[in-house]
Amino acid sequence: MTMPSSNAGEAMYDLVEELFPVCRSITGEGLRWTLRRIGEEIPLVVHEIPTGTEVFDWVVPEEWNIRDAYVRNARGEKVIDFARSNLHVLNYSVPVRRTMPLEELRPHLHTVPEHPDWIPYRTSYYRESWGFCLTHNQLEGLEDGDYEVRIDSTLEPGSLSYGECVVPGETDEEVLISCHSCHPSLANDNLSGIAVAVALAKHLGDLESRRYTYRFLFIPGTIGSITWLARNREATQRIRHGLVLSCLGDAGSSTYKRSRRGDALIDRAVEHVLRHSDEDSEIEDFIPYGYDERQYCSPGFDLPVGCLMRTPNGRYPQYHTSADDLDLVRPDALADSLAKCRAVVEILENDEVFLNQNQYCEPQLGKRGLYRGMGGNAELPGFEMALLWLLNLSDGRNGLFDIAERAGLPFRVILQAAEALRSVDLLHPAEREATVRAERLDSPVHGSDDSAVCSAIMG
Ligand code: ZN
């Protein structure tokens, strides 16, 4: 498998940059425009779910759109202006057109006092409200007096939009990749996940074949995953592995939050990839707080879906503020996140059980050109150890991923060594072998071993 090219980071960054200025929300034209733009990169089906649709315990809300918003002082100066930053308006604000004194306006103003130059990002999706977000310095500068307050928004029946990209595989068993697409001008939280998901979908589409079918969801946070799950309850039974992607572009190291199950293959695979990467990384247990994994891992579904991030939500000071901007996201961090996703996919796609064809003592690798002696010029570090581990553990009970874990070697090394052993006929896929060996079950020499082999394969 090839690594992402150095251009991959730049391409993802360019997409983040292009999407950044748009005012998105959980419904509305900004989200719709974003989905259309993603659809220019990968094949995307956009679904529109009408306002009022019941989705489990929730209802698809009215659609929110905004054209303009500002607060003007007595001298007619716009002291808060949506045109300068879409974070200035409380997301989902109802329309307002009034003049009021500062005391009356003040409860509707939100700031981050500890970072007086940053505008906070605030929402009020499910409770009718209005407000403005501004820097604390701006607030301090507001004089007493009357202010003209204008929010030119609409909140009316419409629909909730989400995008779905399916990359078909040889089986209808699915891998779910989900990212929220509802934040306005925030770069790391939201746009980095979108950019990595788009690049991953392209990569999968470029593969010659895929074992799994990959389903990418670009959805508004919480209500989007709830809506998708409500409409696809049956389809969830095909999901074998899944990842929520978020906050993948900052300079921090990777963090993986396990699925609710904690020991699913996706959990073990991501942990493996992070452990074998050259940086410190964090593995955390599931908690029912965070992104859409909360819905995928709700007890009724309990899907094997974890969440891959760099610095997690809420743990970097710029989170949900105007400082989560284009300077926070770095092309190299995006490229590194993509490489990790690709390495996880490589495990899911290639984990397979093989049988050693030469189980009585080690085969002589040197005469097959596979063994150059320790310290030789093997293809990858650990390659020769990988050969020995594969020959020893390929007894029909262990897949390549089990072997990589037991050997303490990166899956890629094990995979490459397995390909080498297959090329000289020392390893055969276990399924093919099961039939051959089942015919020999009556042999007293092989009997007990073989039944263990078969039950492992059937099980
Ligand atoms: Zn967020």
Side-chain angles (χ1 to χ4, degrees):
M1 160 168 164
T2 54
M3 294 294 289
S5 72
S6 56
N7 294 336
E10 296 294 340
M12 287 184 279
Y13 187 87
D14 288 348
L15 184 59
V16 169
E17 196 172 29
E18 191 183 336
L19 298 177
F20 185 76
V22 177
C23 184
R24 277 164 292 268
S25 186
I26 55 170
T27 63
E29 284 305 327
L31 172 60
R32 219 168 263 131
W33 181 89
T34 301
L35 296 175
R36 272 200 302 275
R37 181 63 190 85
I38 294 169
E40 291 170 12
E41 300 290 321
I42 54 175
L44 197 74
V45 176
V46 176
H47 301 268
E48 297 284 349
I49 314 305
T51 297
T53 305
E54 289 187 16
V55 286
F56 296 116
D57 199 39
W58 298 59
V59 175
V60 172
E62 292 191 308
E63 182 176 322
W64 184 70
N65 284 292
I66 181 160
R67 282 162 294 278
D68 196 12
Y70 56 82
V71 173
R72 224 196 274 270
N73 66 15
R75 289 188 296 277
E77 299 157 344
K78 285 184 181 174
V79 291
I80 309 171
D81 189 357
F82 174 79
R84 295 171 72 96
S85 167
N86 58 41
L87 297 179
H88 273 315
V89 79
L90 175 79
N91 202 286
Y92 249 70
S93 281
V94 296
V96 180
R97 178 169 225 157
R98 279 171 56 197
T99 298
M100 63 184 74
L102 182 60
E103 311 86 78
E104 201 180 320
L105 176 59
R106 197 179 281 274
H108 296 276
L109 301 180
H110 309 275
T111 69
V112 203
E114 54 276 27
H115 295 288
D117 289 326
W118 298 355
I119 308 164
Y121 162 56
R122 297 272 190 278
T123 65
S124 185
Y125 302 136
Y126 305 105
R127 189 175 57 87
E128 280 207 1
S129 180
W130 64 269
F132 285 88
C133 304
L134 63 164
T135 70
H136 202 68
N137 288 337
Q138 268 178 300
L139 177 67
E140 305 268 86
L142 294 183
E143 303 155 0
D144 282 331
D146 281 350
Y147 287 89
E148 180 195 345
V149 177
R150 173 83 166 116
I151 297 179
D152 182 11
S153 65
T154 52
L155 189 58
E156 41 191 37
S159 60
L160 174 149
S161 321
Y162 68 81
E164 203 168 18
C165 166
V166 176
V167 186
E170 287 158 7
T171 68
D172 65 359
E173 296 188 317
E174 291 193 2
V175 179
L176 181 75
I177 307 289
S178 176
C179 57
H180 64 292
S181 311
C182 53
H183 287 20
S185 293
L186 298 171
N188 194 38
D189 180 12
N190 193 60
L191 295 181
S192 67
I194 293 176
V196 171
V198 165
L200 183 62
K202 283 185 179 175
H203 163 68
L204 286 161
D206 288 343
L207 294 180
E208 246 170 64
S209 63
R210 292 155 298 272
R211 173 189 294 182
Y212 290 106
T213 293
Y214 290 79
R215 185 177 301 275
F216 288 79
L217 299 181
F218 299 87
I219 50 175
T222 306
I223 188 68
S225 51
I226 292 171
T227 301
W228 186 84
L229 286 163
R231 303 182 77 231
N232 295 275
R233 203 165 169 168
E234 290 301 310
T236 61
Q237 291 172 10
R238 298 198 295 267
I239 295 172
R240 296 291 172 270
H241 320 283
L243 277 181
V244 168
L245 301 181
S246 182
C247 301
L248 290 171
D250 63 285
S253 56
S254 295
T255 304
Y256 177 66
K257 179 179 151 187
R258 293 184 178 115
S259 73
R260 180 177 184 266
R261 300 182 186 185
D263 61 350
L265 179 58
I266 189 70
D267 299 319
R268 296 170 57 219
V270 179
E271 290 180 41
H272 177 92
V273 167
L274 296 191
R275 198 179 328 120
H276 287 284
S277 72
D278 49 10
E279 54 156 37
D280 295 332
S281 51
E282 297 288 332
I283 307 292
E284 303 188 347
D285 277 325
F286 176 79
I287 58 163
Y289 183 75
Y291 292 102
D292 289 300
E293 67 278 5
R294 283 147 44 206
Q295 315 310 329
Y296 304 126
C297 295
S298 57
F301 289 105
D302 196 18
L303 297 173
V305 176
C307 180
L308 184 64
M309 299 166 278
R310 299 186 81 84
T311 309
N313 50 301
R315 281 188 246 160
Y316 54 100
Q318 302 91 337
Y319 174 75
H320 279 193
T321 75
S322 55
D324 184 347
D325 60 10
L326 292 168
D327 291 334
L328 187 69
V329 170
R330 299 163 33 153
D332 61 330
L334 291 167
D336 179 71
S337 297
L338 175 63
K340 284 167 177 156
C341 291
R342 286 172 58 158
V344 170
V345 163
E346 185 177 50
I347 294 173
L348 301 179
E349 284 291 308
N350 295 289
D351 186 26
E352 199 175 340
V353 179
F354 289 100
L355 272 180
N356 176 358
Q357 301 302 299
N358 191 105
Q359 300 211 7
Y360 296 92
C361 299
E362 293 174 345
Q364 201 184 343
L365 295 175
K367 71 181 183 191
R368 294 175 172 88
L370 285 178
Y371 201 80
R372 299 176 184 89
M374 291 301 172
N377 51 349
E379 282 82 347
L380 290 168
F383 182 78
E384 292 182 346
M385 279 307 294
L387 296 173
L388 300 179
W389 276 109
L390 278 160
L391 289 166
N392 190 280
L393 291 179
S394 291
D395 55 0
R397 296 179 186 86
N398 303 290
L400 295 186
F401 182 63
D402 297 322
I403 297 172
E405 287 281 84
R406 177 98 177 258
L409 288 168
F411 182 80
R412 186 160 302 158
V413 179
I414 291 288
L415 181 61
Q416 192 169 332
E419 281 161 9
L421 290 171
R422 286 185 76 181
S423 72
V424 296
D425 247 0
L426 280 173
L427 286 186
H428 283 176
E431 270 85 352
R432 192 178 77 181
E433 196 60 20
T435 335
V436 181
R437 287 171 70 96
E439 289 163 8
R440 290 195 247 131
L441 268 180
D442 53 351
S443 155
V445 179
H446 299 98
S448 57
D449 280 348
D450 283 345
S451 51
V453 168
C454 290
S455 65
I457 294 162
M458 304 308 176

